[in-house]
Amino acid sequence: MLKIIKTEEEYELALEKAYSLLQEDIVLGSDQADELELITLLIEHYEEANYPIMPSSPIEAIKFRLDQLGKTQTELSKMFVVRSGQSEILSVSAN
């Protein structure tokens, strides 16, 4: 029976159940598909309440993406017409 997830133990069980369902060949519109959708919504609700993720600033997002790509701020400057543009953008503090 599906119910609101209130504890970490219930959360872990829901994750295990979702994983188990994902391993099956589920047909869209089936009872299993509906169950997976409901479990996913319950997991999402629990995570939003217990593990909130604050949105990053645009500057932090740019720096993070540069890091993911293995690029430097110097390489970013090649994308700007004026070299000081990238320094100005990346030095702006989030208010």
Side-chain angles (χ1 to χ4, degrees), residues 18-81:
Y19 179 78
S20 174
L21 286 168
L22 287 168
Q23 302 312 303
E24 299 178 21
D25 188 22
I26 296 177
V27 176
L28 191 61
S30 68
D31 288 345
Q32 287 180 317
D34 290 343
E35 182 179 13
L36 179 58
E37 184 176 7
L38 285 171
I39 289 173
T40 302
L41 291 171
L42 292 169
I43 290 170
E44 182 180 14
H45 179 267
Y46 183 83
E47 288 176 345
E48 286 174 355
N50 293 279
Y51 304 107
I53 298 174
M54 301 306 296
S56 62
S57 72
I59 303 307
E60 289 304 314
I62 290 170
K63 289 180 179 179
F64 178 76
R65 186 61 178 145
L66 284 173
D67 184 58
Q68 281 184 320
L69 295 172
K71 303 289 183 187
T72 64
Q73 290 184 22
T74 302
E75 292 171 291
L76 176 65
S77 69
K78 294 175 186 175
M79 294 181 224
F80 291 90
V81 176

